[in-house]
Amino acid sequence: MNKVLRRLDDVCTVTMGQAPPGDAYNNDGEGWPLIAGAGDFANGRPAAKKHTREATKTSATGDIILGIRASIGEKVLSDGEYCLGRGVAGLRPSTELDGGFLWHWLTVAAPDLAAKGRGATFKQVNRQDIGELLISVPDLEEQRRITEVLDRVDELRAKRRQSLAHLNDLTQSIFLDLIQSRKSNADDWNDSLHLADVADVSSGITKGRKSPTAALRSVPYLAVLNVQDKRLDLSTVKQIEATEAEIDRYRLRQGDLLLTEGGDPDKLGRGSIWNGELPEAIHQNHIFRVRVTRPEMVNPVYLSWLVSSNEGKRYFLRSAKQTTGIASINMAQLRRFPLLLPPIGVQREFISRVEAVEQLKAPYRRSLVELDALFASLQDRAFRGLL
């Protein structure tokens, strides 16, 4: 590959998004669908939640819409004309740059771009940060060869994710069937309790707190990034210095339900069960730990499904504090979460069915991990001129 590096804005038009006037927003589908930030991305596609009757900055089909605020480096391919809000930028490759080549290169460049982020509340990059990124641009034939190789492996990854998504849908159907069964078994269900009645809810350790005087030792801690929807991402686990008293207070136990306190509104209620994935770990203050104290009333796995259900999300959206597209809940609101509890035996039957589906998922997950590793290796080699 040609090793001559070019500034990205030499081979690509960078259009910074701009928020439309407040009175132009609407939920009636009038005007342009608005991509305000990465919260309007879903499954690799634009997923606008609002429209605007006025648009200053727009995308065209084939442009790459890049997250530049909070979720820096996330991207989707524009499949039409969208209004670009201030949380995104539009990238349009020149005639000497293949769009697919740029798409894959941006994945590799994302950490470098994110490192440029500035801001106290959330990180953001500007046009200069994007434009000064350096890209090696071989001839178009070579770009397309590299794109074809990466696309092939990426297509296999997409098929594995699709298979997992179908199995996830199956599990969701099992849960919805359980909730529907209440209609014929209403007397056996308990809807009079709140989360605080059956579980202990606590926050975690605060980064940047005043340094304790007692002896400290390093311990792994879970941050928001680690807690996904019904799964944990432990690919990167950071360490924090804490006292023995703090470690004892915040130590995670088998069966703890971990919930994030905020983020994009559609991610409220996101959480997962801790199953002792690490010998020892604590959690930070932006994660709530829910520890069941009445196991005869509720199982943590059922609880995680209830909290993340549509009813659960509606409760959090009603209760949450929302600012600039970010929503958050506090501990008091979480403790007041209303419960809908079938008999514990019914909960256990639901869990056994969920576990059966999880066993079906296992080989697909292993295959996806292997394909992800292969794809990352190919990307690295491709943009170092070794593919």
Side-chain angles (χ1 to χ4, degrees):
M1 183 190 290
N2 177 11
K3 288 293 187 180
V4 177
L5 297 176
R6 307 273 298 276
R7 281 178 60 105
L8 183 60
D9 55 9
D10 285 343
V11 292
C12 179
T13 301
V14 180
T15 301
M16 303 302 290
Q18 181 177 329
D23 59 2
Y25 289 78
N26 70 89
N27 295 311
D28 303 320
E30 296 182 14
W32 292 263
L34 171 65
I35 306 299
D40 292 318
F41 300 170
N43 301 318
R45 295 177 176 274
K49 302 179 185 70
K50 294 182 179 294
H51 280 66
T52 177
R53 288 181 287 271
E54 296 183 40
T56 305
K57 307 294 183 180
T58 60
S59 70
T61 300
D63 290 353
I64 294 172
I65 303 177
L66 182 70
I68 62 169
R69 200 177 194 193
S71 301
I72 298 172
E74 289 191 32
K75 63 188 189 301
V76 291
L77 192 65
S78 178
D79 54 4
E81 189 176 22
Y82 293 87
C83 173
L84 302 178
R86 62 180 177 176
V88 297
L91 304 184
R92 184 172 300 167
S94 69
T95 55
E96 58 183 311
L97 186 62
D98 179 76
F101 183 84
L102 174 62
W103 173 271
H104 289 298
W105 177 83
L106 284 169
T107 302
V108 175
D112 292 333
L113 181 61
K116 296 173 180 284
R118 294 172 296 278
T121 305
F122 45 77
K123 303 294 184 183
Q124 183 169 352
V125 293
N126 58 31
R127 191 190 186 287
Q128 180 177 335
D129 296 325
I130 300 168
E132 68 187 11
L133 291 171
L134 298 177
I135 179 173
S136 181
V137 184
D139 61 67
L140 279 171
E141 184 178 350
E142 176 66 4
Q143 290 181 49
R144 288 165 182 156
R145 183 188 70 83
I146 289 171
T147 299
E148 183 181 359
V149 171
L150 294 176
D151 281 350
R152 232 181 271 145
V153 180
D154 205 21
E155 185 178 354
L156 290 174
R157 296 164 73 216
K159 288 179 178 178
R160 295 296 181 275
R161 285 193 294 266
Q162 187 178 45
S163 296
L164 286 167
H166 289 325
L167 289 170
N168 286 337
D169 290 343
L170 174 58
T171 315
Q172 184 67 33
S173 296
I174 294 171
F175 178 75
L176 293 176
D177 286 346
L178 172 61
I179 297 300
Q180 287 294 318
S181 72
R182 184 195 179 204
K183 293 179 180 178
S184 56
N185 299 280
D187 292 342
D188 295 333
W189 289 56
N190 188 329
D191 60 1
S192 64
L193 300 175
H194 296 84
L195 187 58
D197 296 322
V198 300
D200 173 65
V201 181
S202 66
S203 185
I205 194 167
T206 302
K207 289 182 63 181
R209 70 203 184 286
K210 183 179 178 180
S211 184
T213 56
L216 301 173
R217 71 177 173 89
S218 185
V219 63
Y221 78 97
L222 266 64
V224 172
L225 182 65
N226 301 120
V227 180
Q228 301 297 316
D229 188 20
K230 297 187 183 64
R231 67 181 180 86
L232 295 172
D233 180 357
L234 302 181
S235 55
T236 301
V237 179
K238 296 182 179 180
Q239 302 269 328
I240 193 170
E241 296 289 317
T243 66
E244 290 299 332
E246 288 174 325
I247 293 171
D248 185 62
R249 177 181 178 184
Y250 301 121
R251 181 181 285 114
L252 298 175
R253 298 181 191 169
Q254 181 89 14
D256 284 346
L257 172 59
L258 304 175
L259 300 171
T260 57
E261 72 170 9
D264 295 331
D266 62 340
K267 292 185 174 62
L268 285 174
R270 183 181 80 183
S272 184
I273 299 292
W274 178 255
N275 286 310
E277 284 82 355
L278 299 173
E280 182 180 56
I282 62 177
H283 60 109
Q284 74 166 150
N285 61 314
H286 295 301
I287 294 173
F288 295 118
R289 184 202 69 203
V290 179
R291 182 169 291 163
V292 170
T293 56
R294 299 282 303 276
E296 76 281 5
M297 296 288 297
V298 61
N299 182 282
V301 176
Y302 170 78
L303 183 60
S304 73
W305 278 87
L306 181 65
V307 167
S308 64
S309 68
N310 289 335
E311 282 297 323
K313 290 182 185 299
R314 280 194 283 270
Y315 169 79
F316 289 130
L317 285 172
R318 288 195 306 269
S319 306
K321 176 183 177 182
Q322 299 196 41
T323 56
T324 327
I326 302 297
S328 62
I329 56 171
N330 60 40
M331 200 181 311
Q333 292 163 339
L334 183 55
R335 285 172 173 157
R336 290 195 296 269
F337 182 86
L339 298 178
L340 181 60
L341 302 178
I344 193 66
V346 175
Q347 294 181 44
R348 289 174 182 147
E349 181 181 350
F350 162 72
I351 292 158
S352 68
R353 297 178 69 187
V354 169
E355 288 174 347
V357 178
E358 288 298 312
Q359 289 179 3
L360 293 175
K361 287 183 187 179
Y364 291 100
R365 284 201 181 110
R366 287 194 297 270
S367 175
L368 183 56
V369 168
E370 292 169 358
L371 286 169
D372 284 344
L374 173 61
F375 186 70
S377 173
L378 289 172
Q379 276 189 321
D380 178 67
R381 291 170 58 194
F383 297 110
R384 287 194 295 121
L386 302 175
L387 185 61

